[in-house]
Amino acid sequence: MSKRYERLMKCYECFKARVDFTPKTALILGSGLGDYADGIDVRATLDYKDIEGFPVSTAPGHKGRFVFGYVGDVPVVVMQGRVHYYEGYPMEDVVLPVRLMKLMGAEVLFVTNAAGGVNWHFECGDFMLINDQICMAPSPLIGENLDELGPRFPDMSEIYSKKLRDIVKKTARELDIPLREGVYIQLTGPNYESPSEVRMVRTLGADAVGMSTACEAIAANHMGMKIVGISCISNLACGVSNRPLSHAEVQETADRVAPLFKKLITASVQNIAKEI
Ligand code: HPA
């Protein structure tokens, strides 16, 4: 067994020793949605610091624990706080949580984030269903392959499940929540982009830019999870708007639209579980 797999198994054993719960869906929530887990039917929690070898996040607005419980009748595990590459962790640490959630039993990864709007038609506060991605951060699969989890050269032709995207689109229509669709690009951060970089990523085909998610989706796809992702356009990316960016603005928008975002997530999680 490789050292990397051994470490992951150690984390899994910590989970097994403390929590008796099998999630079907894993949720990773971005800025503004940190309190989503407080609103579910909570059955157990597990602090990251209590898991041997688990990376602990330092980002403002991010708590650090797994919350286990039910969204309707769907058993879920929610990450309250994620680990970002810009915090200085190796990619292996950044994706360890998503790997662990797969081992816990999750088949679906539901991921959300706050992102800058690159598409000229987007407005602050929009939601964007991610239909594909560009990962400009290093691949989390670099290094010895974890053969126990997935293949050395995994296919990435449909990272975000078409079937799940259709379910989320239908759910949004039923709730009368406008939903954009587009390509998410992950840059390393932590700096926001320059106007020229935003022009570059638009030319590359991105509709929204952020500092997370794509690497997590690669690791999840490697393991064969079904993935769905929604970005909250918390600001217009640099150069799209001529105002300087601040984390406060990102947080303020994310907080403002959080109630609607939560409604969409809650209904989508349940509709997805019904169909898979
Ligand atoms: N750029 C990168 N990451 C982000 C942004 C942005 O404009 N907004 C929220 N996360």
Side-chain angles (χ1 to χ4, degrees):
M1 203 192 299
S2 70
K3 280 257 171 323
R4 297 174 110 180
Y5 193 66
E6 226 168 80
R7 176 184 178 203
L8 185 61
M9 288 315 290
K10 237 188 212 124
C11 291
Y12 176 69
E13 278 153 26
C14 273
F15 155 75
K16 266 310 212 196
R18 286 161 198 260
V19 179
D20 180 20
F21 192 89
T22 306
K24 185 176 175 104
T25 298
L27 285 138
I28 307 181
L29 303 171
S31 303
L33 290 177
D35 66 347
Y36 180 81
D38 300 328
I40 72 170
D41 178 10
V42 178
R43 297 301 167 91
T45 61
L46 179 60
D47 286 349
Y48 299 157
K49 65 174 169 41
D50 294 333
I51 306 172
E52 200 185 323
F54 195 91
V56 180
S57 172
T58 60
H62 287 263
K63 284 184 199 166
R65 62 178 189 166
F66 288 114
V67 178
F68 304 89
Y70 289 88
V71 172
D73 57 2
V74 186
V76 301
V77 52
V78 186
M79 278 190 80
Q80 259 189 334
R82 56 156 48 115
V83 179
H84 298 86
Y85 185 59
Y86 63 72
E87 291 175 79
Y89 295 99
M91 264 301 171
E92 186 186 339
D93 288 22
V94 176
V95 300
L96 187 141
V98 69
R99 287 179 165 156
L100 181 56
M101 293 193 289
K102 169 71 161 62
L103 293 184
M104 290 174 183
E107 299 158 37
V108 173
L109 174 66
F110 202 125
V111 62
T112 76
N113 56 52
V118 169
N119 185 312
W120 289 113
H121 297 107
F122 286 4
E123 284 168 41
C124 205
D126 280 350
F127 300 137
M128 183 192 87
L129 181 64
I130 305 174
N131 59 21
D132 200 6
Q133 68 178 32
I134 302 170
C135 188
M136 298 278 272
S139 169
L141 306 183
I142 289 174
E144 190 183 355
N145 185 50
L146 293 174
D147 294 328
E148 297 88 345
L149 301 183
R152 169 77 291 190
F153 301 110
D155 171 64
M156 293 282 151
S157 55
E158 193 184 313
I159 299 177
Y160 297 89
S161 157
K162 166 88 167 58
K163 186 171 170 187
L164 300 200
R165 276 186 272 142
D166 287 344
I167 296 169
V168 173
K169 281 196 252 185
K170 185 161 177 272
T171 306
R173 271 199 307 276
E174 283 165 2
L175 293 173
D176 213 13
I177 297 174
L179 187 62
R180 312 276 199 169
E181 196 175 342
V183 174
Y184 176 91
I185 190 166
Q186 175 179 359
L187 305 186
T188 67
N191 52 291
Y192 293 116
E193 302 69 39
S194 70
S196 299
E197 286 165 338
V198 171
R199 251 195 331 272
M200 174 187 76
V201 301
R202 187 183 301 112
T203 305
L204 293 177
D207 297 289
V209 58
M211 307 174 192
S212 66
T213 302
C215 57
E216 292 152 335
I218 288 174
N221 193 51
H222 175 239
M223 298 183 290
M225 293 179 89
K226 295 187 175 70
I227 308 163
V228 64
I230 309 177
S231 293
C232 166
I233 304 301
S234 55
N235 57 277
L236 298 179
C238 188
V240 180
S241 129
N242 49 20
R243 281 192 303 140
L245 282 184
S246 71
H247 184 68
E249 178 193 348
V250 168
Q251 195 70 52
E252 188 276 321
T253 308
D255 290 344
R256 178 168 56 78
V257 298
L260 207 56
F261 207 1
K262 287 177 190 173
K263 218 169 124 181
L264 178 60
I265 292 164
T266 299
S268 297
V269 165
Q270 294 179 81
N271 288 341
I272 286 169
K274 263 187 251 158
E275 303 252 353
I276 58 158

